[in-house]
């Protein structure tokens, strides 16, 4: 059985002139062809639905359970940018569970003012000092940290003095903690503290980051 045919233009990408089946000259970009009638009728009745692409929803970052501030006397310097980069890296890793801020404070008076403001909002304020309580290891520090966070309503503030340490009057009225007997710069103490915050979280999770 031979289907009836009709003559319709079919667009192509050809860019050369030629001759159609009737012997007529073809224009640029189109040719004539004979297409079976049923196919043409199908083209008239079939609707083409546009493809709708739905943009995937952005991933939601879970809110941190704990909020910790590390207040340090001093300022950011280009000479020790490596310490800043390392500190920022641990802060970024902590984001899913702990929101950590580590601002530089210009002097002791501003440091004490911010520490007192945090304490008035219910945060536990602890100062780093060589005479303070020294956890026997990182596991003990992890346990101590989470106890403090629970007591302080999930908020805690660490205070790190400058090159000359903290004012004696301030050290007498806040709990003190020591990271060890070795002497390090206040910028290194800041970095070590933030790394220990991350390590404490990994210990609590039971990951392979911490090894005894």
């Amino acid at each position: 059985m031979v289907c009836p045919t009709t003559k319709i233009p079919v667009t192509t990408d050809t860019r050369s002139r030629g001759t159609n089946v009737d012997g007529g000259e073809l224009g640029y970009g189109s040719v004539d062809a004979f297409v079976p009638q049923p196919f043409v009728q199908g083209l008239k009745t079939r609707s083409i639905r546009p493809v709708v692409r739905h943009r995937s929803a952005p991933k939601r970052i879970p809110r941190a359970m704990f909020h910790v501030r590390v207040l340090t006397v001093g300022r950011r310097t280009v000479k020790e940018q490596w310490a800043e980069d390392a500190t920022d890296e641990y802060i970024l890793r902590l984001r899913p569970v702990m929101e950590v801020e580590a601002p530089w404070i210009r002097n002791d008076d501003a440091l004490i003012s911010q520490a007192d403001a945090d304490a008035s909002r219910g945060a536990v304020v602890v100062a780093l000092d060589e005479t303070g309580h020294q956890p026997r290891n990182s596991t003990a520090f992890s346990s101590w940290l989470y106890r403090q966070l629970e007591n302080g309503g999930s908020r805690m503030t660490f205070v790190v003095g400058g090159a000359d340490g903290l004012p004696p009057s301030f050290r007498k009225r806040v709990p003190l903690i020591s990271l060890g007997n070795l002497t390090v710069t206040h910028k290194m103490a800041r970095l070590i503290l933030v790394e220990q915050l991350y390590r404490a979280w990994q210990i609590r999770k039971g990951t392979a980051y911490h090894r005894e």
Side-chain angles (χ1 to χ4, degrees):
M1 176 180 179
V2 180
C3 296
T5 60
T6 186
K7 189 177 181 181
I8 64 170
V10 179
T11 302
T12 67
D13 292 333
T14 180
R15 308 305 291 175
S16 61
R17 289 181 178 271
T19 304
N20 62 18
V21 294
D22 293 330
E25 187 180 49
L26 295 176
Y28 285 103
S30 66
V31 297
D32 292 335
F34 287 99
V35 182
Q37 185 66 26
F39 178 76
V40 177
Q41 294 175 352
L43 289 179
K44 293 179 180 179
T45 59
R46 185 180 303 168
S47 61
I48 301 176
R49 297 181 180 179
V51 178
V52 180
R53 300 183 182 275
H54 297 282
R55 184 175 297 178
S56 58
K59 295 182 178 179
R60 297 183 61 184
I61 299 176
R63 294 185 60 183
M65 298 172 55
F66 305 108
H67 301 268
V68 176
R69 300 187 75 203
V70 180
L71 309 178
T72 310
V73 173
R75 60 187 179 88
R76 181 186 292 264
T77 59
V78 178
K79 184 178 180 180
E80 295 179 316
Q81 184 61 39
W82 59 270
E84 297 291 340
D85 293 341
T87 302
D88 292 342
E89 173 63 25
Y90 285 115
I91 291 176
L92 181 63
R93 294 185 186 184
L94 280 162
R95 184 176 297 176
V97 68
M98 188 180 297
E99 181 181 345
V100 179
E101 299 178 27
W104 291 102
I105 312 300
R106 63 181 183 275
N107 53 42
D108 289 340
D109 292 337
L111 181 76
I112 295 173
S113 177
Q114 291 205 28
D116 290 342
D118 289 353
S120 66
R121 289 190 286 267
V124 174
V125 177
V126 180
L128 265 66
D129 189 83
E130 59 184 2
T131 64
H133 164 69
Q134 181 178 330
R136 65 180 183 275
N137 51 34
S138 293
T139 302
F141 175 81
S142 178
S143 301
W144 171 86
L145 173 67
Y146 279 95
R147 284 198 306 269
Q148 301 303 315
L149 288 170
E150 292 170 359
N151 295 334
S154 302
R155 295 182 177 275
M156 191 170 182
T157 297
F158 288 93
V159 180
V160 183
D164 297 325
L166 293 167
S169 59
F170 181 74
R171 286 189 291 133
K172 290 179 180 179
R173 61 186 180 91
V174 296
L176 305 177
I177 187 171
S178 173
L179 297 180
N181 295 325
L182 297 178
T183 301
V184 296
T185 65
H186 62 291
K187 294 184 178 181
M188 281 297 300
R190 175 176 177 261
L191 170 57
I192 293 171
L193 173 60
V194 174
E195 191 276 338
Q196 287 298 304
L197 294 177
Y198 177 74
R199 184 178 295 274
W201 176 39
Q202 296 301 303
I203 291 173
R204 195 173 181 88
K205 287 178 61 179
T207 69
Y209 179 85
H210 176 74
R211 294 176 175 83
E212 293 289 352

